[in-house]
Amino acid sequence: MAQVSNLYPTMTTPTPTRVAFITGAAQGLGRAIALRLASDGLDIALNDLPSSLPALNDLAAEISEKYQGRRAAVFTGDVRQEAEVKDMVEGAVSELGRLDVMVANAGVSRKRETVADATVEEWERMWEVNIRGVLLCYKYGARQMIKQGEGGRIIGASSICGLRGYANFGPYCLSKAAVRSLTQTTALELREHNITVNAYAPGVIHTAMTSLEADTSPASIVKHLLKVSDFRTGQPTDVAQVVSFLASTESHFITGQTISQLLLEKCQQRTMHSSSRNKDDFTPRNSGAFVPHLTMTTPTRVALITGAAQGLGRAIALRLASDGLDVALNDLPSSLPALKDLAAEISGTYQGRRAAVLTGDVRQEAEVEAMVESVVSELGRLDVVSSSGPISTSIQPLLSIAATVEEWEKLWEINIRGVLLCYKYGARQMIKQGEGGRIIGMSNALTRSNVVTPPLHLAASPISKAAVRSLTQTTALELREHNITVNAYAPGVIHTPFSSTEADTTPSSVVKQLLKVNDFRVGQPTDVAQVVSFLASTESHFVTGQTISVDDGVSA
């Protein structure tokens, strides 16, 4: 029987403080992640090789001093050695009381080398740290979390080199691709224990490792790998912000995902240069510390949410309002009473927040254009567009649907055309403002399924949603130079009025018929809204062109 999801209250009620274990914490990404999770209120277990003990001790002292009440314990050891990983996890539990988050960050890279020239020893070295080390951290982190019985978060370090192959980086690409596969497999195995398993896949991040291994600077890696010159090199804090979200209770419906962090842009002068940032600066999600253009011109950002009258759109509107954004609410004219009720709820619940109601059909270009103009006229600007409220289709054979061209066209008009128009006119306004922005679309987890056989009797909707994923990637590339990120969320089965009516009786029947699985949870609209909250935040500024599945691991 399907279970409706919740926020795993057992993760926070047994003890007042969650505990995170971070490998490779002495410098670079690991150090930034440790500081960020400490700022989020977690106690931290810090690991690195014995040679890094002074740096670990300094970091532990900094955490204790900077974040009052936070504890930091130091554990030196080699993640390639199973006995040492086991002892470190046990030591962390003994000293800090529990383990809720495991971040398997430790890894190695190296200079450029072809497959033909690389030695067997080099491949094995990559395997030992980048794969074996991650595997052991997953294994013993999972064992402890299962023993506690209160869920948890396991997070691994992949790379953009794990998402595709790059010439001259064969050993590294192989090792990071293996992390991605290991993450998916482990996620499926640990779902029943309420343990999520995800990975982050950084682009080129300015750390000591990249500086040493590049010919002269991190920039040369990008030139060798991506053959581009219009890029920004990221900071460790850019990765730490993503890990912060994956480690939070709000990410509980995301598992088996590898989230890439790579932002290329042509106009350096439009953003704060990477080298000018404080490498250890952490601020609340919507403060705009790392993308000042988003928040410095006005005190309040503005979001347009389509399909806001019910379901996902309504939950997204409420969440963004709670995050401090003014919201413009759109749906069809028939939903006007529901929109007005939602606007009143937002104004009454979140003091100082404004909510404007704008009815209109997102299939009509003139109406979308006018709607965006109205948002700016009433609320002063536009910083976030969330294109929600698409439709699906009844469960029936492909030939039956194909016989009705109108059914396909109806899906195209809302699932594709509506999103395209929202992207288009939202982007035009953001470009006009010149201060960046966030565009967020809705795809579907079925478009990201690794199952070889396509979902039976439901072709039209996944096809249209796959097009949204492609549109999101394309638009993200086109808008990089304007500091506008474009991402999408891909829900699994979410309990909404829409999903209840399209299934035979309940949302659970959709999964049973399409994916042939029984051990799943049906999500709530708030599960999706939490992901949109992150994608809409200033902290997501180094994530673009991504489609994040919110489906309890079904797509994995």
Side-chain angles (χ1 to χ4, degrees), residues 4 27 114 123 215 484 526 552:
V4 176
Q27 63 179 352
T114 67
W123 289 83
D215 294 339
I484 300 170
T526 51
D552 199 31

Side-chain angles (χ1 to χ4, degrees), residues 100-387:
D100 302 278
V101 178
M102 167 63 78
V103 182
N105 170 73
V108 294
S109 181
R110 62 154 294 138
K111 65 181 180 181
R112 297 167 60 232
E113 194 167 30
T114 67
V115 172
D117 292 335
T119 65
V120 173
E121 290 76 17
E122 175 61 28
W123 289 83
E124 289 179 342
R125 177 172 177 259
M126 288 288 178
W127 169 268
E128 283 186 344
V129 179
N130 291 355
I131 306 299
R132 180 172 177 166
V134 172
L135 170 63
L136 291 173
C137 289
Y138 280 20
K139 176 179 179 179
Y140 287 99
R143 285 188 174 184
Q144 176 59 33
M145 293 174 192
I146 292 171
K147 181 180 178 180
Q148 291 171 182
E150 299 168 2
R153 301 284 179 269
I154 295 176
I155 304 166
S158 184
S159 166
I160 59 167
C161 294
L163 306 181
R164 54 161 289 184
Y166 292 98
N168 303 326
F169 284 85
Y172 185 71
C173 290
L174 178 146
S175 68
K176 291 303 186 179
V179 169
R180 183 183 182 192
S181 179
L182 173 65
T183 296
Q184 291 175 322
T185 300
T186 312
L188 293 174
E189 294 177 353
L190 298 181
R191 289 169 57 212
E192 64 180 296
H193 301 289
N194 289 345
I195 300 170
T196 66
V197 189
N198 295 288
Y200 51 93
V204 176
I205 306 298
H206 188 70
T207 67
M209 177 183 291
T210 54
S211 297
L212 290 172
E213 292 167 359
D215 294 339
T216 56
S217 69
S220 64
I221 295 182
V222 173
K223 291 178 181 178
H224 290 312
L225 296 184
L226 305 180
K227 309 302 182 185
V228 297
S229 58
D230 56 332
F231 68 92
R232 277 195 302 144
T233 301
Q235 290 293 301
T237 49
D238 298 325
V239 177
Q241 290 159 353
V242 176
V243 175
S244 170
F245 175 68
L246 292 176
S248 72
T249 56
E250 292 199 339
S251 69
H252 77 107
F253 216 63
I254 301 174
T255 194
Q257 302 296 299
T258 297
I259 300 178
S260 179
Q261 298 129 295
L262 175 65
L263 183 60
L264 307 177
E265 67 175 70
K266 296 179 180 178
C267 298
Q268 292 273 6
Q269 69 271 18
R270 300 183 66 89
T271 186
M272 184 188 300
H273 194 276
S274 297
S275 62
S276 67
R277 298 179 193 158
N278 182 343
K279 64 182 180 179
D280 298 332
D281 184 21
F282 296 109
T283 48
R285 210 177 265 172
N286 287 300
S287 68
F290 300 124
V291 189
H293 302 294
L294 283 168
T295 57
M296 288 179 68
T297 55
T298 59
T300 304
R301 297 166 67 207
V302 174
L304 168 64
I305 301 104
T306 67
Q310 62 178 349
L312 299 184
R314 185 179 190 279
I316 290 168
L318 287 168
R319 176 54 192 259
L320 295 185
S322 75
D323 288 341
L325 282 73
D326 288 340
V327 292
L329 310 171
N330 159 261
D331 216 308
L332 294 170
S334 58
S335 299
L336 181 58
L339 289 177
K340 288 184 176 179
D341 289 344
L342 177 57
E345 180 178 351
I346 288 172
S347 299
T349 303
Y350 306 108
Q351 189 174 8
R353 292 285 62 75
R354 295 177 296 166
V357 172
L358 306 166
T359 59
D361 189 338
V362 294
R363 297 172 296 181
Q364 305 301 321
E365 184 165 12
E367 294 191 29
V368 175
E369 182 179 15
M371 184 166 57
V372 170
E373 291 175 353
S374 296
V375 173
V376 177
S377 176
E378 290 194 39
L379 299 178
R381 60 187 293 110
L382 180 62
D383 302 278
V384 177
V385 170
S386 175
S387 181

